[in-house]
Amino acid sequence: MKFLKALIVIMGVMIIVGFAVIGVELYKRMSDPDRRADSTADRVVVPAGKIDEVGLDLPAGSRIGDPVAAGNRVLFRVTLPDNSDRLYVMDPRSGAITTTITTGKAGAPR
């Protein structure tokens, strides 16, 4: 009988620990939805105090609008000297411009 009581107590503790692990994992995923199992593979490590620069190769007189965070990307509008606009989508982790949206036909020279 003592063996059965000990077994029930041990299984109860294991169930509680299991629910705790599941709860912690759910909390981590809800607070960071873009978390991956191996997020170090695409992570860019920048030494402390170093600032990276991203060049957009824009003509002189271009104006960059206010950046807007959209999910895990940063959007910003650029107004060119001829008053045409471009919308840039940037990945803030790597600093890479992932998409450029312009007015006009797709594939037309800029």
Side-chain angles (χ1 to χ4, degrees):
M1 194 63 143
K2 288 183 181 183
F3 174 74
L4 186 59
K5 287 182 183 179
L7 187 63
I8 290 173
V9 169
I10 291 172
M11 289 186 339
V13 169
M14 289 177 63
I15 290 172
I16 292 171
V17 169
F19 275 117
V21 169
I22 290 172
V24 168
E25 187 64 28
L26 284 174
Y27 174 76
K28 285 181 182 178
R29 289 185 184 200
M30 286 189 318
S31 63
D32 187 11
D34 296 323
R35 188 170 84 64
R36 296 183 185 98
D38 185 18
S39 63
T40 59
D42 62 346
R43 185 176 297 168
V44 176
V45 178
V46 178
K50 183 180 180 218
I51 299 173
D52 284 344
E53 290 186 24
V54 176
L56 297 177
D57 193 29
L58 297 171
S62 299
R63 294 184 316 266
I64 297 178
D66 293 330
V68 177
N72 60 351
R73 300 285 188 248
V74 176
L75 305 170
F76 56 93
R77 184 179 68 166
V78 174
T79 304
L80 300 174
D82 63 355
N83 286 333
S84 62
D85 290 330
R86 289 185 188 166
L87 182 66
Y88 287 88
V89 181
M90 182 177 78
D91 181 3
R93 292 179 183 162
S94 65
I97 302 297
T98 58
T99 307
T100 303
I101 302 170
T102 59
T103 56
K105 294 182 180 180
R110 295 182 205 180

XYZ file of all heavy atoms in Angstrom:
820
model
N 0.809 -1.198 0.000
C 0.000 0.000 0.000
C 0.855 1.266 0.000
O 0.492 2.243 -0.641
C -0.912 -0.045 1.226
C -2.006 0.947 1.157
S -3.073 0.607 -0.236
C -4.604 1.000 0.418
N 1.986 1.204 0.740
C 2.869 2.366 0.771
C 3.457 2.619 -0.610
O 3.649 3.765 -1.014
C 3.987 2.156 1.788
C 3.523 2.223 3.207
C 4.696 2.083 4.146
C 4.198 2.127 5.577
N 5.311 2.059 6.527
N 3.738 1.525 -1.320
C 4.294 1.668 -2.663
C 3.309 2.389 -3.583
O 3.693 3.263 -4.366
C 4.650 0.285 -3.233
C 5.101 0.335 -4.660
C 6.360 0.814 -4.986
C 4.265 -0.104 -5.677
C 6.774 0.863 -6.298
C 4.672 -0.052 -7.001
C 5.938 0.431 -7.311
N 2.036 2.059 -3.490
C 1.009 2.678 -4.315
C 0.869 4.163 -3.992
O 0.754 4.996 -4.899
C -0.321 1.945 -4.119
C -1.470 2.389 -5.016
C -1.101 2.214 -6.482
C -2.727 1.628 -4.686
N 0.898 4.526 -2.727
C 0.821 5.939 -2.330
C 2.027 6.706 -2.861
O 1.894 7.824 -3.369
C 0.738 6.057 -0.816
C -0.589 5.657 -0.238
C -0.603 5.844 1.274
C -1.908 5.380 1.869
N -1.917 5.529 3.333
N 3.220 6.127 -2.743
C 4.427 6.791 -3.242
C 4.349 6.972 -4.757
O 4.732 8.022 -5.300
C 5.662 5.991 -2.852
N 3.849 5.978 -5.457
C 3.723 6.048 -6.902
C 2.743 7.151 -7.311
O 3.009 7.913 -8.247
C 3.267 4.693 -7.448
C 3.243 4.541 -8.963
C 4.644 4.681 -9.534
C 2.663 3.185 -9.332
N 1.647 7.279 -6.608
C 0.655 8.320 -6.903
C 1.242 9.701 -6.650
O 1.055 10.623 -7.435
C -0.637 8.087 -6.085
C -1.348 6.850 -6.607
C -1.547 9.306 -6.150
C -2.549 6.431 -5.779
N 1.985 9.857 -5.559
C 2.606 11.155 -5.253
C 3.633 11.506 -6.326
O 3.677 12.640 -6.819
C 3.241 11.126 -3.841
C 4.116 12.345 -3.633
C 2.161 11.046 -2.783
N 4.467 10.561 -6.729
C 5.492 10.811 -7.754
C 4.845 11.172 -9.085
O 5.265 12.119 -9.762
C 6.424 9.592 -7.896
C 7.294 9.451 -6.640
C 7.303 9.708 -9.130
C 8.104 8.172 -6.583
N 3.805 10.454 -9.480
C 3.129 10.759 -10.737
C 2.444 12.126 -10.674
O 2.442 12.869 -11.651
C 2.122 9.659 -11.074
C 2.801 8.374 -11.493
S 1.770 7.012 -12.100
C 0.163 7.304 -11.497
N 1.880 12.485 -9.518
C 1.278 13.805 -9.355
C 2.298 14.918 -9.511
O 2.050 15.935 -10.164
N 3.472 14.731 -8.915
C 4.546 15.731 -9.041
C 4.990 15.842 -10.498
O 5.220 16.943 -11.005
C 5.725 15.365 -8.109
C 6.950 16.210 -8.414
C 5.313 15.524 -6.657
N 5.112 14.722 -11.184
C 5.519 14.750 -12.596
C 4.487 15.467 -13.460
O 4.845 16.208 -14.382
C 5.756 13.330 -13.097
C 7.011 12.694 -12.514
S 7.268 10.989 -13.024
C 7.464 11.155 -14.774
N 3.214 15.284 -13.168
C 2.162 15.987 -13.912
C 2.258 17.489 -13.674
O 2.166 18.291 -14.607
C 0.768 15.439 -13.535
C 0.595 14.029 -14.091
C -0.342 16.359 -14.035
C -0.664 13.326 -13.625
N 2.469 17.911 -12.442
C 2.590 19.338 -12.122
C 3.804 19.943 -12.818
O 3.728 21.030 -13.406
C 2.646 19.541 -10.603
C 1.289 19.189 -9.979
C 3.038 20.974 -10.251
C 1.285 19.145 -8.469
N 4.936 19.237 -12.795
C 6.146 19.735 -13.468
C 5.910 19.817 -14.978
O 6.325 20.782 -15.634
C 7.358 18.837 -13.138
C 8.547 19.154 -14.018
C 7.736 18.986 -11.673
N 5.242 18.844 -15.541
C 4.943 18.865 -16.970
C 4.081 20.052 -17.364
O 4.346 20.723 -18.357
N 3.042 20.340 -16.573
C 2.210 21.507 -16.846
C 3.001 22.798 -16.696
O 2.802 23.760 -17.456
C 0.973 21.528 -15.936
C -0.166 20.724 -16.468
C -0.632 19.619 -15.772
C -0.787 21.073 -17.653
C -1.688 18.870 -16.255
C -1.847 20.326 -18.153
C -2.299 19.222 -17.450
N 3.915 22.862 -15.748
C 4.743 24.051 -15.571
C 5.636 24.274 -16.794
O 5.764 25.401 -17.285
C 5.586 23.927 -14.303
N 6.237 23.215 -17.298
C 7.088 23.331 -18.490
C 6.269 23.789 -19.689
O 6.691 24.672 -20.443
C 7.805 21.990 -18.779
C 8.468 22.000 -20.147
C 8.828 21.698 -17.705
N 5.092 23.213 -19.870
C 4.224 23.619 -20.979
C 3.809 25.084 -20.819
O 3.798 25.850 -21.780
C 2.996 22.697 -21.068
C 3.431 21.307 -21.534
C 1.942 23.273 -22.008
C 2.333 20.272 -21.468
N 3.469 25.501 -19.604
C 3.081 26.891 -19.361
C 4.204 27.863 -19.663
O 3.979 28.907 -20.282
N 5.420 27.549 -19.259
C 6.562 28.427 -19.536
C 6.808 28.521 -21.038
O 7.055 29.599 -21.571
C 7.823 27.923 -18.789
C 9.073 28.613 -19.278
C 7.660 28.107 -17.294
N 6.741 27.409 -21.732
C 6.963 27.411 -23.189
C 5.872 28.205 -23.905
O 6.159 28.966 -24.838
C 7.019 25.987 -23.710
C 7.416 25.888 -25.155
C 8.826 26.385 -25.439
O 9.689 26.335 -24.552
O 9.065 26.826 -26.597
N 4.627 28.059 -23.498
C 3.551 28.851 -24.099
C 3.757 30.340 -23.852
O 3.544 31.165 -24.742
C 2.196 28.413 -23.543
C 1.652 27.095 -24.084
C 0.374 26.710 -23.344
C 1.383 27.204 -25.565
N 4.171 30.712 -22.650
C 4.423 32.118 -22.352
C 5.545 32.669 -23.227
O 5.446 33.769 -23.763
C 4.785 32.295 -20.871
C 5.187 33.713 -20.551
C 4.229 34.708 -20.447
C 6.519 34.054 -20.382
C 4.581 36.009 -20.178
C 6.890 35.350 -20.111
C 5.921 36.332 -20.016
O 6.281 37.618 -19.769
N 6.620 31.898 -23.408
C 7.731 32.350 -24.247
C 7.280 32.545 -25.691
O 7.643 33.522 -26.341
C 8.868 31.333 -24.217
C 9.669 31.351 -22.943
C 10.785 30.314 -23.024
C 11.588 30.248 -21.766
N 12.643 29.212 -21.843
N 6.479 31.626 -26.193
C 6.027 31.741 -27.582
C 5.038 32.880 -27.769
O 5.006 33.512 -28.815
C 5.411 30.425 -28.041
C 6.454 29.356 -28.218
C 5.866 28.105 -28.771
N 6.895 27.065 -28.835
C 6.807 26.012 -29.595
N 5.744 25.824 -30.342
N 7.784 25.126 -29.601
N 4.194 33.149 -26.770
C 3.251 34.256 -26.884
C 3.954 35.596 -26.794
O 3.568 36.552 -27.447
C 2.176 34.161 -25.801
C 1.173 33.075 -26.065
S -0.263 33.079 -24.965
C 0.393 33.395 -23.379
N 5.012 35.693 -26.008
C 5.701 36.967 -25.861
C 6.662 37.228 -27.012
O 7.028 38.365 -27.252
C 6.448 37.013 -24.526
O 7.444 36.005 -24.492
N 7.095 36.214 -27.757
C 7.973 36.380 -28.912
C 7.532 35.400 -29.993
O 8.076 34.305 -30.106
C 9.432 36.119 -28.517
C 10.396 36.435 -29.639
O 9.970 37.054 -30.638
O 11.575 36.077 -29.523
N 6.548 35.780 -30.837
C 6.012 34.835 -31.818
C 6.998 34.451 -32.911
O 6.806 33.450 -33.586
C 4.805 35.569 -32.406
C 5.089 37.006 -32.150
C 5.891 37.073 -30.887
N 8.068 35.212 -33.104
C 9.030 34.899 -34.160
C 10.185 34.052 -33.659
O 11.146 33.827 -34.373
C 9.585 36.186 -34.764
C 8.488 36.967 -35.447
O 7.606 36.328 -36.057
O 8.502 38.199 -35.356
N 10.080 33.580 -32.416
C 11.145 32.759 -31.848
C 11.189 31.421 -32.560
O 10.185 30.787 -32.807
C 10.880 32.541 -30.359
C 12.014 31.859 -29.639
C 11.784 31.896 -28.156
N 10.959 30.875 -27.586
C 11.235 29.572 -27.580
N 12.283 29.117 -28.176
N 10.446 28.726 -26.984
N 12.397 31.009 -32.883
C 12.579 29.719 -33.547
C 13.366 28.811 -32.628
O 14.036 29.256 -31.706
C 13.337 29.906 -34.848
C 12.557 30.732 -35.846
C 13.329 30.813 -37.150
N 12.656 31.699 -38.056
C 12.985 32.963 -38.246
N 13.988 33.494 -37.602
N 12.321 33.704 -39.088
N 13.341 27.523 -32.913
C 14.086 26.571 -32.097
C 15.575 26.839 -32.174
O 16.291 26.756 -31.183
C 13.780 25.150 -32.557
N 16.082 27.186 -33.367
C 17.499 27.495 -33.534
C 17.603 28.901 -34.104
O 17.845 29.084 -35.294
C 18.168 26.484 -34.461
C 19.667 26.712 -34.567
O 20.216 27.406 -33.696
O 20.277 26.188 -35.524
N 17.397 29.897 -33.274
C 17.415 31.277 -33.752
C 18.817 31.844 -33.854
O 19.003 32.949 -34.321
C 16.566 32.162 -32.837
O 17.126 32.163 -31.541
N 19.849 31.109 -33.428
C 21.210 31.623 -33.528
C 21.766 31.495 -34.937
O 22.741 32.140 -35.272
C 22.141 30.875 -32.549
O 22.108 29.479 -32.856
C 21.711 31.103 -31.119
N 21.148 30.683 -35.789
C 21.672 30.472 -37.134
C 21.562 31.723 -38.000
O 22.449 32.009 -38.789
C 20.937 29.311 -37.801
N 20.472 32.495 -37.869
C 20.305 33.680 -38.699
C 20.537 34.972 -37.924
O 20.273 36.045 -38.434
C 18.907 33.690 -39.329
C 17.817 33.758 -38.281
O 18.106 33.542 -37.100
O 16.659 34.024 -38.664
N 21.041 34.867 -36.735
C 21.277 36.046 -35.914
C 22.578 36.720 -36.329
O 23.590 36.071 -36.532
C 21.339 35.664 -34.444
C 21.469 36.874 -33.531
C 21.429 36.492 -32.099
N 20.124 35.896 -31.823
C 19.852 35.248 -30.724
N 20.761 35.088 -29.799
N 18.659 34.733 -30.531
N 22.544 38.035 -36.468
C 23.738 38.806 -36.793
C 24.278 39.365 -35.483
O 23.583 40.065 -34.763
C 23.396 39.953 -37.763
C 24.613 40.802 -38.022
C 22.832 39.386 -39.049
N 25.515 39.042 -35.189
C 26.125 39.496 -33.951
C 26.900 40.771 -34.232
O 27.817 40.791 -35.060
C 27.061 38.413 -33.367
C 27.725 38.914 -32.102
C 26.294 37.138 -33.112
N 26.514 41.848 -33.565
C 27.179 43.126 -33.725
C 27.951 43.413 -32.448
O 27.377 43.392 -31.365
C 26.149 44.255 -33.987
C 26.831 45.592 -34.117
C 25.342 43.933 -35.228
N 29.255 43.673 -32.559
C 30.028 43.982 -31.354
C 29.479 45.219 -30.653
O 28.922 46.120 -31.292
C 31.437 44.239 -31.890
C 31.471 43.629 -33.243
C 30.069 43.654 -33.759
N 29.650 45.260 -29.354
C 29.143 46.389 -28.563
C 29.788 47.689 -29.036
O 30.984 47.757 -29.277
C 29.441 46.161 -27.093
N 28.970 48.715 -29.189
C 29.462 50.028 -29.585
C 29.584 50.218 -31.080
O 29.880 51.300 -31.547
N 29.352 49.184 -31.877
C 29.455 49.293 -33.327
C 28.080 49.586 -33.903
O 27.099 48.969 -33.541
C 30.007 48.013 -33.931
C 30.189 48.120 -35.425
C 30.740 46.856 -36.023
C 30.889 47.089 -37.510
N 30.572 45.960 -38.296
N 28.022 50.506 -34.843
C 26.776 50.861 -35.508
C 26.903 50.470 -36.975
O 27.843 50.882 -37.653
C 26.479 52.368 -35.374
C 26.338 52.736 -33.901
C 25.241 52.742 -36.162
C 26.200 54.205 -33.652
N 25.979 49.660 -37.457
C 25.988 49.264 -38.866
C 25.272 50.311 -39.698
O 24.281 50.908 -39.262
C 25.292 47.920 -39.059
C 26.144 46.749 -38.609
O 27.357 46.952 -38.442
O 25.594 45.661 -38.426
N 25.762 50.519 -40.910
C 25.118 51.434 -41.842
C 24.565 50.633 -43.006
O 25.204 49.709 -43.492
C 26.116 52.468 -42.363
C 26.546 53.465 -41.319
C 27.415 54.560 -41.907
O 27.321 54.806 -43.132
O 28.174 55.148 -41.147
N 23.361 50.994 -43.430
C 22.728 50.353 -44.575
C 22.585 51.420 -45.646
O 21.947 52.447 -45.435
C 21.337 49.784 -44.205
C 20.657 49.211 -45.428
C 21.470 48.752 -43.112
N 23.214 51.188 -46.795
C 23.131 52.147 -47.892
C 21.968 51.825 -48.810
O 21.771 50.683 -49.196
N 21.177 52.833 -49.155
C 20.029 52.632 -50.036
C 20.322 53.069 -51.462
O 19.506 52.859 -52.346
C 18.815 53.393 -49.505
C 18.295 52.958 -48.150
C 17.146 53.846 -47.719
C 17.867 51.516 -48.179
N 21.466 53.708 -51.701
C 21.856 54.166 -53.030
C 20.764 55.061 -53.623
O 20.232 54.804 -54.698
C 22.151 52.979 -53.939
C 22.861 53.415 -55.216
O 23.582 54.439 -55.168
O 22.678 52.749 -56.244
N 20.435 56.125 -52.875
C 19.408 57.060 -53.308
C 20.055 58.304 -53.900
O 21.156 58.691 -53.497
C 18.528 57.463 -52.112
C 17.739 56.342 -51.454
C 17.093 56.836 -50.177
C 16.686 55.810 -52.405
N 19.387 58.961 -54.831
C 19.935 60.198 -55.382
C 19.922 61.326 -54.347
O 19.157 61.294 -53.385
C 19.012 60.508 -56.559
C 17.765 59.741 -56.313
C 18.138 58.564 -55.470
N 20.775 62.304 -54.554
C 20.840 63.447 -53.644
C 19.492 64.167 -53.629
O 18.823 64.272 -54.650
C 21.938 64.405 -54.086
N 19.083 64.618 -52.455
C 17.819 65.324 -52.309
C 16.662 64.415 -51.923
O 15.536 64.887 -51.782
N 16.903 63.130 -51.765
C 15.848 62.203 -51.348
C 15.551 62.396 -49.868
O 16.438 62.747 -49.088
C 16.278 60.756 -51.586
O 16.525 60.532 -52.940
N 14.302 62.184 -49.493
C 13.889 62.334 -48.100
C 13.331 61.011 -47.594
O 12.486 60.393 -48.247
C 12.836 63.423 -47.971
C 13.354 64.811 -48.292
C 12.295 65.876 -48.059
N 10.974 65.536 -48.570
C 10.512 65.887 -49.763
N 11.256 66.557 -50.591
N 9.284 65.548 -50.118
N 13.803 60.601 -46.425
C 13.316 59.373 -45.809
C 12.255 59.743 -44.790
O 12.480 60.582 -43.919
C 14.462 58.597 -45.137
C 15.474 58.168 -46.197
C 13.927 57.387 -44.391
C 16.669 57.448 -45.647
N 11.075 59.101 -44.900
C 9.976 59.364 -43.975
C 10.153 58.610 -42.672
O 11.134 57.889 -42.457
N 9.209 58.785 -41.782
C 9.256 58.138 -40.472
C 9.127 56.625 -40.617
O 8.252 56.138 -41.327
C 8.122 58.650 -39.580
C 8.299 60.109 -39.218
O 9.460 60.547 -39.143
O 7.285 60.792 -39.010
N 9.972 55.873 -39.908
C 9.846 54.419 -39.954
C 8.639 53.939 -39.152
O 8.242 54.557 -38.169
C 11.151 53.927 -39.327
C 11.604 55.051 -38.468
C 11.101 56.309 -39.104
N 8.056 52.833 -39.602
C 6.903 52.235 -38.934
C 7.195 50.749 -38.738
O 7.575 50.063 -39.687
C 5.620 52.416 -39.781
C 4.444 51.720 -39.126
C 5.328 53.876 -40.013
N 7.033 50.273 -37.509
C 7.221 48.850 -37.234
C 5.962 48.097 -37.643
O 4.856 48.470 -37.269
C 7.507 48.628 -35.756
N 6.148 47.035 -38.425
C 5.033 46.199 -38.871
C 5.431 44.745 -38.661
O 6.149 44.176 -39.471
C 4.704 46.468 -40.330
N 4.988 44.188 -37.566
C 5.378 42.814 -37.255
C 6.857 42.762 -36.926
O 7.341 43.494 -36.075
N 7.590 41.937 -37.655
C 9.020 41.856 -37.425
C 9.789 42.562 -38.536
O 10.928 42.243 -38.818
C 9.465 40.394 -37.304
C 9.156 39.605 -38.549
O 8.477 40.079 -39.451
N 9.650 38.390 -38.607
N 9.186 43.531 -39.187
C 9.809 44.324 -40.242
C 9.649 45.807 -39.934
O 8.806 46.212 -39.144
C 9.158 44.045 -41.602
C 9.257 42.615 -42.056
C 10.655 42.306 -42.536
N 10.744 41.008 -43.153
C 11.413 39.994 -42.621
N 12.013 40.125 -41.476
N 11.474 38.844 -43.237
N 10.463 46.625 -40.588
C 10.373 48.079 -40.465
C 10.078 48.629 -41.856
O 10.762 48.300 -42.820
C 11.682 48.687 -39.923
C 11.607 50.195 -39.903
C 11.981 48.154 -38.535
N 9.037 49.434 -41.962
C 8.656 50.062 -43.228
C 9.006 51.537 -43.170
O 8.809 52.188 -42.147
C 7.155 49.924 -43.468
C 6.557 48.531 -43.431
C 5.037 48.625 -43.441
C 7.032 47.733 -44.601
N 9.522 52.075 -44.271
C 9.706 53.511 -44.348
C 9.571 53.958 -45.794
O 9.862 53.235 -46.730
C 11.036 53.958 -43.738
C 12.248 53.294 -44.320
C 12.934 53.885 -45.365
C 12.695 52.084 -43.828
C 14.048 53.282 -45.898
C 13.808 51.479 -44.353
C 14.487 52.072 -45.404
N 9.088 55.196 -45.936
C 8.844 55.766 -47.254
C 9.990 56.696 -47.610
O 10.490 57.434 -46.766
C 7.538 56.542 -47.262
C 7.182 57.089 -48.630
C 5.891 57.805 -48.583
N 6.077 59.015 -47.778
C 5.226 60.017 -47.745
N 4.121 59.964 -48.427
N 5.457 61.065 -46.997
N 10.395 56.657 -48.878
C 11.429 57.543 -49.380
C 10.819 58.365 -50.502
O 10.232 57.816 -51.438
C 12.648 56.747 -49.899
C 13.651 57.668 -50.558
C 13.292 55.970 -48.769
N 10.938 59.681 -50.410
C 10.478 60.571 -51.461
C 11.696 61.006 -52.263
O 12.633 61.590 -51.712
C 9.761 61.799 -50.876
O 8.685 61.344 -50.048
C 9.220 62.693 -51.958
N 11.699 60.709 -53.545
C 12.809 61.038 -54.429
C 12.695 62.486 -54.893
O 11.629 63.107 -54.773
C 12.819 60.077 -55.617
C 12.975 58.601 -55.245
C 12.827 57.731 -56.479
C 14.308 58.355 -54.575
N 13.770 63.055 -55.435
C 13.730 64.462 -55.875
C 12.660 64.749 -56.931
O 12.169 65.865 -57.018
C 15.128 64.697 -56.444
C 15.990 63.698 -55.780
C 15.120 62.514 -55.539
N 12.262 63.756 -57.726
C 11.219 63.981 -58.736
C 9.814 63.784 -58.166
O 8.853 63.630 -58.905
C 11.441 63.069 -59.939
C 11.334 61.601 -59.583
O 11.182 61.277 -58.392
O 11.408 60.767 -60.516
N 9.698 63.778 -56.814
C 8.441 63.633 -56.066
C 7.773 62.269 -56.232
O 6.593 62.123 -55.955
C 7.447 64.744 -56.399
C 7.860 66.050 -55.773
O 8.529 66.065 -54.748
N 7.487 67.148 -56.407
N 8.492 61.267 -56.697
C 7.952 59.911 -56.689
C 8.329 59.264 -55.358
O 9.288 59.660 -54.710
C 8.492 59.098 -57.869
O 9.897 58.972 -57.766
N 7.543 58.283 -54.951
C 7.746 57.647 -53.657
C 8.137 56.187 -53.830
O 7.724 55.521 -54.783
C 6.478 57.712 -52.804
C 6.172 59.115 -52.328
O 7.122 59.891 -52.141
O 4.989 59.421 -52.134
N 8.922 55.710 -52.876
C 9.254 54.291 -52.770
C 8.985 53.875 -51.337
O 9.187 54.647 -50.406
C 10.725 54.030 -53.072
C 11.108 54.192 -54.498
C 12.541 53.799 -54.697
N 12.978 54.141 -56.041
C 14.225 54.166 -56.422
N 15.187 53.867 -55.563
N 14.538 54.473 -57.647
N 8.547 52.637 -51.181
C 8.327 52.069 -49.863
C 9.341 50.942 -49.682
O 9.425 50.037 -50.499
C 6.899 51.513 -49.735
C 6.509 50.927 -48.392
C 6.491 52.027 -47.329
C 5.161 50.258 -48.476
N 10.137 51.041 -48.616
C 11.157 50.041 -48.331
C 10.718 49.203 -47.134
O 10.177 49.727 -46.162
C 12.498 50.706 -48.003
C 13.188 51.293 -49.206
C 12.928 52.582 -49.625
C 14.111 50.539 -49.919
C 13.567 53.111 -50.726
C 14.756 51.063 -51.014
C 14.479 52.352 -51.415
O 15.118 52.873 -52.504
N 10.973 47.898 -47.215
C 10.700 46.970 -46.127
C 12.056 46.424 -45.681
O 12.788 45.846 -46.485
C 9.766 45.823 -46.565
C 9.490 44.890 -45.405
C 8.470 46.385 -47.133
N 12.387 46.631 -44.406
C 13.699 46.254 -43.907
C 13.576 45.245 -42.771
O 12.675 45.341 -41.943
C 14.441 47.487 -43.384
C 15.840 47.198 -42.893
S 16.718 48.667 -42.353
C 15.984 48.930 -40.757
N 14.487 44.278 -42.764
C 14.591 43.324 -41.663
C 15.543 43.937 -40.639
O 16.735 44.080 -40.912
C 15.135 41.991 -42.170
C 15.235 40.946 -41.085
O 14.827 41.226 -39.937
O 15.721 39.843 -41.376
N 15.058 44.345 -39.457
C 15.920 45.042 -38.505
C 17.012 44.162 -37.906
O 18.011 44.666 -37.426
C 14.955 45.529 -37.426
C 13.776 44.652 -37.545
C 13.697 44.224 -38.975
N 16.844 42.849 -37.954
C 17.873 41.968 -37.394
C 19.142 41.993 -38.232
O 20.237 42.017 -37.705
C 17.350 40.548 -37.288
C 16.269 40.407 -36.268
C 15.776 38.993 -36.220
N 14.675 38.887 -35.273
C 13.826 37.897 -35.245
N 13.944 36.914 -36.117
N 12.861 37.873 -34.370
N 18.980 41.961 -39.552
C 20.153 41.921 -40.423
C 20.421 43.256 -41.099
O 21.501 43.466 -41.626
C 19.961 40.844 -41.493
O 18.880 41.192 -42.337
N 19.435 44.149 -41.134
C 19.598 45.427 -41.811
C 19.382 45.329 -43.308
O 19.597 46.285 -44.031
N 18.958 44.177 -43.796
C 18.765 43.970 -45.228
C 17.416 44.520 -45.671
O 16.420 44.375 -44.973
C 18.846 42.489 -45.563
N 17.404 45.155 -46.831
C 16.158 45.612 -47.439
C 15.551 44.406 -48.140
O 16.124 43.861 -49.080
C 16.417 46.754 -48.440
C 17.112 47.929 -47.756
C 15.125 47.182 -49.113
C 16.304 48.576 -46.656
N 14.403 43.951 -47.664
C 13.803 42.742 -48.211
C 12.898 43.029 -49.400
O 12.789 42.207 -50.295
C 13.001 41.990 -47.138
O 12.000 42.862 -46.617
C 13.909 41.538 -46.013
N 12.261 44.193 -49.426
C 11.337 44.527 -50.500
C 11.376 46.021 -50.757
O 11.485 46.818 -49.827
C 9.883 44.140 -50.120
O 9.867 42.777 -49.722
C 8.930 44.347 -51.274
N 11.289 46.390 -52.025
C 11.143 47.787 -52.417
C 9.887 47.888 -53.264
O 9.750 47.165 -54.252
C 12.355 48.263 -53.234
O 13.531 48.059 -52.474
C 12.234 49.741 -53.570
N 8.991 48.769 -52.890
C 7.737 48.941 -53.618
C 7.772 50.306 -54.282
O 7.994 51.321 -53.616
C 6.530 48.826 -52.677
C 6.549 47.460 -51.986
C 5.226 49.048 -53.434
C 5.564 47.333 -50.870
N 7.570 50.320 -55.596
C 7.558 51.578 -56.339
C 6.244 51.690 -57.094
O 5.537 50.700 -57.292
C 8.728 51.642 -57.348
O 8.598 50.547 -58.248
C 10.062 51.570 -56.644
N 5.953 52.884 -57.555
C 4.791 53.053 -58.398
C 5.203 52.748 -59.837
O 6.364 52.874 -60.198
C 4.250 54.491 -58.307
O 5.301 55.389 -58.648
C 3.764 54.788 -56.913
N 4.291 52.293 -60.632
C 4.606 51.961 -62.022
C 4.536 50.455 -62.238
O 4.133 49.696 -61.380
N 5.002 50.028 -63.388
C 4.952 48.620 -63.749
C 6.071 47.864 -63.067
O 7.167 48.380 -62.879
C 5.064 48.456 -65.261
C 3.881 49.031 -66.005
C 4.029 48.797 -67.480
C 2.819 49.387 -68.219
N 2.915 49.181 -69.650
N 5.805 46.595 -62.742
C 6.814 45.754 -62.125
C 7.917 45.473 -63.128
O 7.665 45.227 -64.295
C 6.195 44.439 -61.655
N 9.154 45.524 -62.653
C 10.300 45.236 -63.500
C 10.747 46.425 -64.331
O 11.710 46.338 -65.067
N 10.031 47.549 -64.251
C 10.445 48.739 -64.988
C 11.684 49.333 -64.342
O 11.847 49.264 -63.127
C 9.310 49.760 -65.002
N 12.576 49.908 -65.127
C 13.789 50.505 -64.532
C 13.421 51.655 -63.616
O 12.473 52.381 -63.859
C 14.585 50.967 -65.731
C 13.661 50.954 -66.892
C 12.526 50.045 -66.565
N 14.203 51.811 -62.571
C 13.925 52.861 -61.586
C 14.494 54.184 -62.018
O 15.503 54.452 -62.408
C 14.515 52.491 -60.231
C 13.867 51.296 -59.673
C 14.460 51.025 -58.333
N 14.323 49.629 -58.016
C 14.734 49.081 -56.918
N 15.319 49.794 -56.014
N 14.583 47.821 -56.686
